[in-house]
Amino acid sequence: MLLAAQPTCFLIADISGYTGYLADVELDHAQDILADLIGAVVTALRPNFRLAKLEGDAAFTFATADKVDGSMLLDTIERCYFGFRRRRRDVRQATSCECNACVQIPDLDLKFVVHHGAAIHQKVAGRQELVGSDVIVAHRLLKNEVVEKLGINAYALISQKCIDATDIDPAALGMRRHTETYDRIGDVPAWAHDLERRWQEEEARGRAFVSPEESILIVSVPTNVPPQVAWEFVTMPGQRMTWQPWVTEVAVKGTTGGRRGLGSANHCMHGKDAVIEEILDWRPYDYVTDRTVLATPSGPVRVLHTVEFEPGEAGTAIHFRYGAAKTRREKALMDVIAPAYGQALRSGLPSLIAQLDAALAARDADGDPEPELIGPRPDGPLSGLQPLVIVG
């Protein structure tokens, strides 16, 4: 029986500069460093993307999907890159070894290629293999001229076919148009997303965060899912209505290029009334902070609201926290509103937990076990570094 091709989003994360790095460094320490960094990359991409195979200094991952949520795709790529940069820094600081392999860790960087198409998912020697012309295109895109023509060293090269499957406007997001040409394939139009620029913006950006000590209302719930899954159900407009039945519609306004996040606002309709959530800080998959504006007969009430996703060994605790209002009038109104608001929020949590468990079960049943990651040696140069915690 012939297997049918499935719509698939392919993502390859490649540690750039590794070939030249190997030429000048001690091989055993270099292998430990590669194993740790690849582990950090794959962990950050899961579970939105499944690992198909490790290919030397690259991880070939995929997600089966006809339509790709552009915001989630970019959030996943950027969070992976930010995590790589922090892990690279931690790895260098964790070792006192002065061999070339350890000293030259900062020379390594990370790039991504992303493509959307069709692939046959088949088992070969007990492992899942992806087969098809679009798999070839995704791998060909690794050999590109982005650095030479655009001067971008850390990037995500996203094919036009993938852009077409998303809901984002690449030009409005500052991406740069780029085309690669390959023998027997022809032109592959794509867009380059500058990850070094995004890293600099991330490091410079201030934080808005409601701590437990600053909260007047806290609602927390433990879940069995990794932060990525919990984030999706809490921040995607279409998901909100499935577990908050009092929300009749969610419209996202003020987006740049169709991307949710900093500067956009959720307009949550409660019948004829609207609660506006102005996004002030967007840190997938750690926390999101908004300024919640509640309409009342006595005028609007504005409070800071943080949803934090705290990972643990068994899953993620979700914390909904509301800060104190600023004015005397708003504080008096919040004394009345907060108990009812907290009660309504708690009433939706059983549905949220049930849907999260169902989503995780569906993801687990959707594919075969992924290839195992090989960690660094316990007695190697990274023995003093806290190991990665893989949730889910």
Short mmCIF file of all heavy atoms in Angstrom, two decimals, residues 330-353:
data_model
loop_
_atom_site.label_atom_id
_atom_site.label_comp_id
_atom_site.label_asym_id
_atom_site.label_seq_id
_atom_site.Cartn_x
_atom_site.Cartn_y
_atom_site.Cartn_z
N GLU A 330 -9.31 53.32 41.03
CA GLU A 330 -9.12 52.00 40.43
C GLU A 330 -8.89 50.93 41.50
O GLU A 330 -9.37 49.80 41.37
CB GLU A 330 -7.96 52.03 39.44
CG GLU A 330 -8.25 52.84 38.18
CD GLU A 330 -7.04 52.94 37.27
OE1 GLU A 330 -5.94 53.22 37.79
OE2 GLU A 330 -7.20 52.74 36.05
N LYS A 331 -8.17 51.29 42.56
CA LYS A 331 -7.93 50.32 43.64
C LYS A 331 -9.24 49.93 44.30
O LYS A 331 -9.47 48.75 44.62
CB LYS A 331 -6.97 50.91 44.66
CG LYS A 331 -5.53 51.00 44.17
CD LYS A 331 -4.63 51.62 45.24
CE LYS A 331 -3.19 51.72 44.74
NZ LYS A 331 -2.30 52.37 45.74
N ALA A 332 -10.13 50.91 44.53
CA ALA A 332 -11.42 50.61 45.15
C ALA A 332 -12.25 49.70 44.25
O ALA A 332 -12.91 48.76 44.74
CB ALA A 332 -12.16 51.91 45.43
N LEU A 333 -12.23 49.95 42.95
CA LEU A 333 -12.98 49.12 42.03
C LEU A 333 -12.40 47.70 41.95
O LEU A 333 -13.14 46.71 41.86
CB LEU A 333 -12.99 49.76 40.63
CG LEU A 333 -13.87 51.00 40.48
CD1 LEU A 333 -13.59 51.68 39.14
CD2 LEU A 333 -15.34 50.64 40.59
N MET A 334 -11.07 47.59 41.99
CA MET A 334 -10.44 46.27 41.93
C MET A 334 -10.74 45.43 43.16
O MET A 334 -10.79 44.20 43.10
CB MET A 334 -8.93 46.39 41.73
CG MET A 334 -8.51 46.63 40.29
SD MET A 334 -9.14 45.37 39.13
CE MET A 334 -8.29 43.90 39.70
N ASP A 335 -10.96 46.08 44.30
CA ASP A 335 -11.35 45.34 45.51
C ASP A 335 -12.66 44.58 45.27
O ASP A 335 -12.88 43.51 45.84
CB ASP A 335 -11.51 46.30 46.69
CG ASP A 335 -10.18 46.83 47.20
OD1 ASP A 335 -9.15 46.19 46.89
OD2 ASP A 335 -10.17 47.87 47.89
N VAL A 336 -13.51 45.16 44.43
CA VAL A 336 -14.79 44.53 44.11
C VAL A 336 -14.65 43.54 42.96
O VAL A 336 -15.22 42.44 42.97
CB VAL A 336 -15.85 45.60 43.76
CG1 VAL A 336 -17.17 44.95 43.36
CG2 VAL A 336 -16.04 46.56 44.92
N ILE A 337 -13.86 43.92 41.94
CA ILE A 337 -13.75 43.12 40.72
C ILE A 337 -12.90 41.87 40.91
O ILE A 337 -13.23 40.79 40.40
CB ILE A 337 -13.16 43.99 39.58
CG1 ILE A 337 -14.11 45.12 39.23
CG2 ILE A 337 -12.84 43.14 38.35
CD1 ILE A 337 -13.52 46.13 38.27
N ALA A 338 -11.80 41.99 41.65
CA ALA A 338 -10.81 40.91 41.73
C ALA A 338 -11.38 39.57 42.19
O ALA A 338 -11.11 38.53 41.56
CB ALA A 338 -9.64 41.32 42.62
N PRO A 339 -12.20 39.50 43.26
CA PRO A 339 -12.71 38.19 43.67
C PRO A 339 -13.54 37.51 42.58
O PRO A 339 -13.40 36.31 42.33
CB PRO A 339 -13.56 38.52 44.91
CG PRO A 339 -12.96 39.79 45.45
CD PRO A 339 -12.56 40.56 44.23
N ALA A 340 -14.42 38.28 41.93
CA ALA A 340 -15.24 37.70 40.87
C ALA A 340 -14.39 37.30 39.66
O ALA A 340 -14.64 36.27 39.02
CB ALA A 340 -16.32 38.71 40.45
N TYR A 341 -13.38 38.12 39.35
CA TYR A 341 -12.50 37.83 38.23
C TYR A 341 -11.73 36.54 38.50
O TYR A 341 -11.57 35.69 37.61
CB TYR A 341 -11.55 38.99 38.02
CG TYR A 341 -11.19 39.25 36.58
CD1 TYR A 341 -12.09 39.91 35.73
CD2 TYR A 341 -9.98 38.84 36.05
CE1 TYR A 341 -11.77 40.16 34.41
CE2 TYR A 341 -9.64 39.08 34.73
CZ TYR A 341 -10.56 39.74 33.91
OH TYR A 341 -10.25 39.97 32.59
N GLY A 342 -11.22 36.39 39.71
CA GLY A 342 -10.49 35.19 40.08
C GLY A 342 -11.37 33.96 40.03
O GLY A 342 -10.94 32.88 39.57
N GLN A 343 -12.61 34.08 40.49
CA GLN A 343 -13.54 32.96 40.46
C GLN A 343 -13.83 32.53 39.03
O GLN A 343 -13.87 31.33 38.72
CB GLN A 343 -14.84 33.34 41.17
CG GLN A 343 -15.84 32.19 41.28
CD GLN A 343 -17.08 32.59 42.06
OE1 GLN A 343 -17.19 33.72 42.55
NE2 GLN A 343 -18.03 31.67 42.19
N ALA A 344 -14.04 33.49 38.14
CA ALA A 344 -14.29 33.16 36.74
C ALA A 344 -13.08 32.46 36.12
O ALA A 344 -13.23 31.48 35.38
CB ALA A 344 -14.64 34.42 35.97
N LEU A 345 -11.88 32.97 36.43
CA LEU A 345 -10.67 32.37 35.87
C LEU A 345 -10.51 30.93 36.35
O LEU A 345 -10.20 30.03 35.57
CB LEU A 345 -9.46 33.22 36.27
CG LEU A 345 -8.11 32.86 35.64
CD1 LEU A 345 -8.20 32.86 34.12
CD2 LEU A 345 -7.04 33.86 36.09
N ARG A 346 -10.75 30.70 37.64
CA ARG A 346 -10.62 29.34 38.18
C ARG A 346 -11.65 28.40 37.58
O ARG A 346 -11.36 27.20 37.40
CB ARG A 346 -10.77 29.37 39.70
CG ARG A 346 -9.63 30.09 40.43
CD ARG A 346 -9.77 29.98 41.95
NE ARG A 346 -8.77 30.80 42.62
CZ ARG A 346 -8.97 32.05 43.02
NH1 ARG A 346 -10.16 32.63 42.81
NH2 ARG A 346 -8.00 32.73 43.61
N SER A 347 -12.81 28.91 37.23
CA SER A 347 -13.86 28.05 36.70
C SER A 347 -13.48 27.46 35.34
O SER A 347 -13.99 26.41 34.95
CB SER A 347 -15.18 28.83 36.57
OG SER A 347 -15.10 29.80 35.53
N GLY A 348 -12.60 28.13 34.60
CA GLY A 348 -12.18 27.63 33.30
C GLY A 348 -11.00 26.68 33.34
O GLY A 348 -10.67 26.06 32.33
N LEU A 349 -10.35 26.55 34.50
CA LEU A 349 -9.12 25.75 34.57
C LEU A 349 -9.34 24.26 34.34
O LEU A 349 -8.50 23.62 33.69
CB LEU A 349 -8.42 25.99 35.91
CG LEU A 349 -7.91 27.43 36.11
CD1 LEU A 349 -7.19 27.55 37.46
CD2 LEU A 349 -6.98 27.85 34.97
N PRO A 350 -10.41 23.64 34.86
CA PRO A 350 -10.61 22.21 34.55
C PRO A 350 -10.68 21.95 33.05
O PRO A 350 -10.12 20.96 32.56
CB PRO A 350 -11.93 21.88 35.25
CG PRO A 350 -12.00 22.84 36.39
CD PRO A 350 -11.41 24.11 35.84
N SER A 351 -11.35 22.82 32.31
CA SER A 351 -11.42 22.65 30.85
C SER A 351 -10.05 22.85 30.22
O SER A 351 -9.67 22.11 29.30
CB SER A 351 -12.42 23.65 30.26
OG SER A 351 -12.45 23.54 28.85
N LEU A 352 -9.28 23.83 30.72
CA LEU A 352 -7.93 24.05 30.19
C LEU A 352 -7.06 22.82 30.41
O LEU A 352 -6.37 22.37 29.48
CB LEU A 352 -7.30 25.27 30.88
CG LEU A 352 -5.83 25.54 30.56
CD1 LEU A 352 -5.62 25.79 29.07
CD2 LEU A 352 -5.29 26.71 31.39
N ILE A 353 -7.09 22.26 31.62
CA ILE A 353 -6.26 21.09 31.92
C ILE A 353 -6.65 19.91 31.04
O ILE A 353 -5.79 19.20 30.49
CB ILE A 353 -6.38 20.73 33.41
CG1 ILE A 353 -5.76 21.83 34.28
CG2 ILE A 353 -5.68 19.40 33.70
CD1 ILE A 353 -6.01 21.67 35.75
#
